[in-house]
Amino acid sequence: MKSPIYLDNQATTPLAPEAFDAMLPWLKDNFGNPHSAHKLGRQTAAIVDVAREQVAELLPKQGNVIFTGSATEAINLAFGAVYEQLKRGRNKIIVLETEHAAVRDTATSYVKFGFEITFMPVDSYGIVSIEALKSFVDNKTALVAAMLVNNEIGVIQPVEAISELAHSNGALMLCDAVQGYGRVAIPDNVDMIAVSGHKIYGPKGIGALWTRAGLKLPTLIHGGGQEKGVRSGTLSPALCTGFGVAAELCDSNLNKDMEHIEKLSDYAQQLFDDWLINGSTDQRYPGNLNLRRNGLDVGRLMSDVRDVAFSVGSACASGSGRPSHVLTALGLAPAEVKSSIRLGFGRYTTMEEIEEAANMINSAVEAQLK
Ligand code: PLP
């Protein structure tokens, strides 16, 4: 059976063959526990250290990388920083309206501890206005969270300026860089950064939280005291290695990957020239194209075009039947939201695949709209 053309690289990316090969020995013969004191343990601990350095190479200097099971877990861990802030009378958390559920729902879970949550609106291009944000951030703000690249529409937020504003008011800044890590430069003035292995051609089941040196977090998972005591549990050397090698590949292929993805995106825009692009067309990561054809029933389109793996809204929200909160935040009407699709290109996508997918999607659309 021919597998579908994969255009859903924001949901997850295929595992890089190099990462797969590097993981195998740590699943097979080198099975030591990286936290054991004997030789087998020390061997695996050394490989975890190498992976930590590889992951750190794409992050700001002067910080620590804590391995987690996912970026969602990293974000949950990062929010713990607000407890110290509360002791200083800071009880406000500001997150962008268009954040991933991992940020939005974690923020909301702090209401029960006395925090007030603001979901900061974005403009019709999906970008937050620094001027507008100025009237929300004040000396009661504990934390501001803003993503680097949006997972649904690919727009890039002015994270550096948001962080400057947060800091000038004494607040901490968390950046969910899941969709930008390894592809788009991460400003180095933020305090915490969440990243994920499976979005950069690494394995699923591993993420990381980078914290600025000196920043203390409360324990999220109690136990054997691994990961500086904040996240206990035995690390998987295989997953760490896969993540590390994937990060190293992103680093060494940065320009090549970007050139390839820009070519794919330019070609896709030609092939889909009857569609409108949702979100900013210039402040964006080109591997994401969120497109709209008014009047289209995307549910029907998905069932008509089963040989292309694409998405409507984010992978997590698409099964829920809820209209995308991101597209709604741009001011799109419910019918416009429901006639939008997301195409995501990656390192392994080919021009031929884009062409074939565009033919299949566009013919199904013409048949539906005629
Ligand atoms: N943040 C963003 C922007 C994402 O796109 C995702 C995954 O879709 C996550 C967080 C969660 O990442 P993970 O799957 O590693 O928990």
Side-chain angles (χ1 to χ4, degrees):
M1 198 181 73
K2 196 181 162 213
S3 48
I5 295 174
Y6 190 71
L7 296 187
D8 202 14
N9 280 268
Q10 279 71 44
T12 195
T13 49
L15 186 63
E18 296 88 337
F20 177 74
D21 290 342
M23 285 165 70
L24 283 180
W26 308 99
L27 287 166
K28 206 164 169 260
D29 302 320
N30 303 340
F31 58 87
N33 182 329
H35 315 294
S36 296
H38 50 65
K39 194 171 167 193
L40 272 181
R42 286 204 309 275
Q43 268 173 359
T44 42
I47 200 73
V48 168
D49 286 345
V50 170
R52 205 186 294 279
E53 276 164 30
Q54 288 167 319
V55 169
E57 200 55 41
L58 290 164
L59 292 164
K61 307 291 162 228
Q62 314 289 332
N64 300 303
V65 169
I66 299 162
F67 281 124
T68 59
S70 61
T72 300
E73 188 191 320
I75 290 164
N76 274 263
L77 179 57
F79 266 83
V82 299
Y83 291 117
E84 277 300 310
Q85 295 281 74
L86 191 60
K87 287 185 199 155
R88 301 186 194 112
R90 293 175 175 268
N91 70 336
K92 289 189 184 172
I93 296 175
I94 300 176
V95 308
L96 305 190
E97 180 68 56
T98 49
E99 292 296 302
H100 187 274
V103 167
R104 288 172 59 97
D105 292 3
T106 306
T108 305
S109 76
Y110 278 80
V111 170
K112 61 178 176 290
F113 302 115
F115 286 91
E116 209 178 275
I117 320 298
T118 300
F119 290 96
M120 185 64 208
V122 294
D123 64 18
S124 61
Y125 299 103
I127 312 284
V128 71
S129 146
I130 298 295
E131 270 319 296
L133 193 57
K134 279 184 186 158
S135 54
F136 288 87
V137 185
D138 60 20
N139 63 5
K140 291 271 173 222
T141 309
L143 176 80
V144 180
M147 68 206 320
L148 183 59
V149 174
N150 185 275
N151 51 307
E152 289 195 40
I153 54 176
V155 302
I156 300 175
Q157 297 295 349
V159 168
E160 188 172 355
I162 300 172
S163 193
E164 264 170 32
L165 179 62
H167 288 163
S168 64
N169 285 277
L172 291 170
M173 171 74 192
L174 163 65
C175 178
D176 169 353
V178 167
Q179 299 286 345
Y181 177 66
R183 288 148 282 179
V184 173
I186 303 178
D188 63 7
N189 66 342
V190 299
D191 301 299
M192 295 177 281
I193 302 167
V195 297
S196 179
H198 74 106
K199 310 287 184 174
I200 61 154
Y201 315 99
K204 294 171 189 55
I206 186 154
L209 179 69
W210 176 90
T211 55
R212 176 164 302 293
L215 192 134
K216 294 258 179 304
L217 288 173
T219 300
L220 177 73
I221 301 179
H222 300 266
Q226 291 93 344
E227 298 303 89
K228 297 191 186 298
V230 297
R231 197 268 184 184
S232 289
T234 304
L235 287 174
S236 159
L239 292 179
C240 293
T241 298
F243 190 10
V245 168
E248 191 180 65
L249 277 171
C250 283
D251 199 11
S252 55
N253 282 4
L254 203 60
N255 295 336
K256 202 169 138 215
D257 280 352
M258 193 49 111
E259 266 172 37
H260 175 61
I261 284 164
E262 274 170 353
K263 266 194 208 145
L264 295 169
S265 175
D266 289 348
Y267 192 35
Q269 288 183 53
Q270 281 173 35
L271 297 169
F272 289 96
D273 65 345
D274 287 340
W275 298 63
L276 299 164
I277 298 179
N278 292 322
S280 168
T281 46
D282 44 66
Q283 252 174 275
R284 66 179 301 112
Y285 167 64
N288 177 317
L289 208 48
N290 197 303
L291 299 168
R292 181 169 95 243
R293 260 312 272 279
N294 290 334
L296 188 69
D297 174 349
V298 290
R300 190 173 143 199
L301 182 69
M302 275 199 118
S303 65
D304 288 344
V305 189
R306 288 172 192 263
D307 289 332
V308 183
F310 64 101
S311 161
V312 295
S314 73
C316 355
S318 56
S320 70
R322 273 181 288 140
S324 147
H325 70 280
V326 174
L327 297 179
T328 304
L330 304 190
L332 297 189
E336 292 174 313
V337 172
K338 287 187 183 148
S339 57
S340 299
I341 63 171
R342 180 185 69 184
L343 304 178
F345 325 118
R347 182 186 296 154
Y348 306 110
T349 313
T350 65
M351 298 290 260
E352 292 72 31
E353 285 179 316
I354 298 276
E355 192 169 318
E356 212 185 315
N359 282 339
M360 285 191 263
I361 294 173
N362 282 329
S363 340
V365 169
E366 296 322 322
Q368 195 188 118
L369 295 182
K370 82 167 182 260

